[in-house]
Amino acid sequence: MSKQELEVSGRTEACCPGLLTAPLDEEQATELAKVFKALGDPVRLRLLSMIASRAGGEVCVCDLTPAFDLSQPTISHHLKLLRQAGLIDCERRGTWVYYWLLPEMTDRLAGILNRPAGQPLPPLPEPAEPAGAAS
């Protein structure tokens, strides 16, 4: 497979262009809109920033919740949307759920917004499946 092709759900197709090199097709725009929508909320953007900047690469939900004047279920909902967008993942450890950044997606977004003309983009990672953790 060439560098300009990627495997998506068993089919091979050309890698999508960046915004600076060519227009996105409908499917690419729909997929990326979900990610940008997840980032379009100030609470989710702050949560992502807190997770991404955490020393050690992961953070417990118990450390995230006090930073907001929101209920724990509301914070869990925002974290779920970030997970569904493929920006973070999590794992339950006993009572607590730990979150970490999925750099493949942030790298992908950076590549879409800041790619020199003519260079292929990294493939879009599959959105994370819920890990069975009630966040």
Side-chain angles (χ1 to χ4, degrees), residues 79-97:
L79 290 166
K80 176 183 172 185
L81 294 176
L82 289 171
R83 274 195 348 262
Q84 289 174 339
L87 292 160
I88 61 172
D89 204 356
C90 67
E91 175 182 79
R92 178 176 290 284
R93 298 180 196 153
T95 303
W96 301 111
V97 179

Side-chain angles (χ1 to χ4, degrees), residues 6-12 126:
L6 65 134
E7 188 75 18
V8 180
S9 303
R11 55 184 186 173
T12 302
E126 293 291 323

Side-chain angles (χ1 to χ4, degrees), residues 65-79:
T65 305
F68 299 90
D69 189 24
L70 298 169
S71 68
Q72 186 276 328
T74 301
I75 295 297
S76 292
H77 172 73
H78 286 297
L79 290 166

Side-chain angles (χ1 to χ4, degrees), residues 28-42:
Q28 294 162 342
T30 299
E31 290 175 12
L32 288 170
K34 292 175 187 174
V35 179
F36 284 115
K37 185 174 180 179
L39 291 172
D41 182 274

Side-chain angles (χ1 to χ4, degrees), residues 11-116:
R11 55 184 186 173
T12 302
E13 55 191 51
C15 185
C16 58
L19 293 176
L20 303 177
T21 61
L24 297 171
D25 66 28
E26 186 175 342
E27 182 180 343
Q28 294 162 342
T30 299
E31 290 175 12
L32 288 170
K34 292 175 187 174
V35 179
F36 284 115
K37 185 174 180 179
L39 291 172
D41 182 274
V43 171
R44 291 191 290 272
L45 196 53
R46 282 187 60 210
L47 283 166
L48 184 69
S49 175
M50 292 171 71
I51 294 166
S53 64
R54 184 62 167 228
E58 63 182 27
V59 61
C60 178
V61 70
C62 63
D63 295 325
L64 296 171
T65 305
F68 299 90
D69 189 24
L70 298 169
S71 68
Q72 186 276 328
T74 301
I75 295 297
S76 292
H77 172 73
H78 286 297
L79 290 166
K80 176 183 172 185
L81 294 176
L82 289 171
R83 274 195 348 262
Q84 289 174 339
L87 292 160
I88 61 172
D89 204 356
C90 67
E91 175 182 79
R92 178 176 290 284
R93 298 180 196 153
T95 303
W96 301 111
V97 179
Y98 289 79
Y99 292 88
W100 57 88
L101 179 73
L102 294 175
E104 302 84 14
M105 182 58 82
T106 54
D107 291 350
R108 172 81 178 155
L109 295 176
I112 289 168
L113 297 173
N114 190 22
R115 177 69 53 178

